[in-house]
Amino acid sequence: MARLTGKRALVLGGSRGIGAAIVERLTDEGAETTFTYAGSAGAAEALAGKTGASRVQADSADRAAVAEVVAGLGSLDILVVNAGIAVLGDALELDPAEVDRMIDINVRGPYHAAVEAAREMKDGGRIVVIGSVNGDRIPFAGGAAYALTKSAVQGMVRGLARDFGPRGITVNSIQPGPVNTDMNPAEGPMKDMMHSFMAIPRHAEPGEIAGMVAYLVGPEAGIVTGAQHTIDGGFGA
Ligand code: NDP
């Protein structure tokens, strides 16, 4: 029997990149999985067809939409909040509305989704938020607003672990370094600069991040909570 057979999972932001790898891994392990997407309807349809997961369109910047998805699924065992965007650039030049939208998606989305999911989550449930090593370290200019959102995830994970711990629900973040996705292609223009900070100078593949998710949502990780799990090739070392 697969490790997650009988578990019900929701992945916010599952259509592409790291989120798609997480959906593939959770379904491979037997979890009955639903994922959300915002704009990539074609990719979402293809992934649902490939994995058997269910898909729902919901913008993570819209608290009511996220709450409706969570409430509609009833009692979950696993919530993974992956949806995120990166608005990078000179702080004096960035569009403040774009920065606010990033804060909505990267900070308000995970917080409200976690709280709403916890209302009906089974004892022993699992909440994982995809943060970033940039929550710890931002060694280049133009990343202040993005780093702000990922540092906020750290505080939320610590606090919610305390709130939900009495029910055996764990709350953790994963902090990737560079990962080969549309957001940060392995052959993109920032490749050499990013690799210069790393002990192992390469992008991770999305499946490597999904492997850490699989551990944290699995039966061996019941005492792991309130922690940030960095997987970054030594970017933050
Ligand atoms: P991609 O841009 O490749 O994919 C982002 C995914 O999130 C897509 O499935 C997208 O769905 C979904 N998404 C984005 N905005 C929303 C929204 N408003 N509502 C619902 N879903 C949304 O990014 P990655 O896979 O690279 O990143 C995933 C997470 O990992 C993010 O939180 C990111 O900050 C984090 N991360 C990434 C790193 C990297 O180097 N790639 C490094 C460290 C952290 P759709 O296309 O349907 O809109």
Side-chain angles (χ1 to χ4, degrees):
M1 197 166 82
R3 262 177 6 125
L4 300 178
T5 298
K7 302 293 185 189
R8 300 183 66 237
L10 171 63
V11 179
L12 295 180
S15 52
R16 295 183 290 113
I18 296 169
I22 294 168
V23 170
E24 290 192 32
R25 181 69 186 250
L26 295 182
T27 52
D28 279 353
E29 300 231 18
E32 183 190 331
T33 303
T34 299
F35 69 91
T36 65
Y37 64 98
S40 301
E45 183 180 4
L47 183 67
K50 180 180 175 188
T51 61
S54 303
R55 66 190 191 281
V56 187
Q57 187 172 26
D59 182 351
S60 276
D62 180 342
R63 173 159 51 87
V66 169
E68 190 180 327
V69 171
V70 171
L73 289 169
S75 183
L76 291 167
D77 300 281
I78 296 165
L79 171 71
V80 182
V81 186
N82 169 76
I85 62 170
V87 177
L88 303 174
D90 186 333
L92 301 181
E93 304 289 337
L94 287 179
D95 177 350
E98 282 296 298
V99 172
D100 283 355
R101 179 166 164 78
M102 175 169 65
I103 292 170
D104 285 349
I105 296 168
N106 293 12
V107 179
R108 293 177 64 219
Y111 177 81
H112 292 297
V115 170
E116 292 309 314
R119 291 187 198 286
E120 296 207 36
M121 187 168 259
K122 292 171 192 153
D123 287 4
R126 302 281 194 265
I127 297 172
V128 176
V129 181
I130 306 300
S132 167
V133 68
N134 294 141
D136 283 333
R137 182 174 190 233
I138 186 74
F140 51 84
Y146 180 69
L148 172 166
T149 69
K150 297 304 186 176
S151 296
V153 167
Q154 300 179 336
M156 141 184 0
V157 158
R158 293 187 185 105
L160 291 180
R162 302 279 180 188
D163 288 332
F164 306 147
R167 293 159 55 195
I169 295 172
T170 68
V171 187
N172 290 283
S173 88
I174 290 177
Q175 301 196 142
V179 186
N180 182 22
T181 66
D182 296 337
M183 181 189 283
N184 184 4
E187 295 304 324
M190 292 168 73
K191 166 189 159 190
D192 290 336
M193 183 267 285
M194 288 190 176
H195 291 184
S196 74
F197 302 124
M198 301 172 75
I200 299 175
R202 70 167 176 85
H203 279 48
E205 290 302 323
E208 295 181 281
I209 313 306
M212 189 173 262
V213 173
Y215 167 71
L216 287 173
V217 304
E220 295 166 292
I223 197 67
V224 182
T225 198
Q228 331 297 326
H229 305 273
T230 300
I231 172 167
D232 70 341
F235 187 102

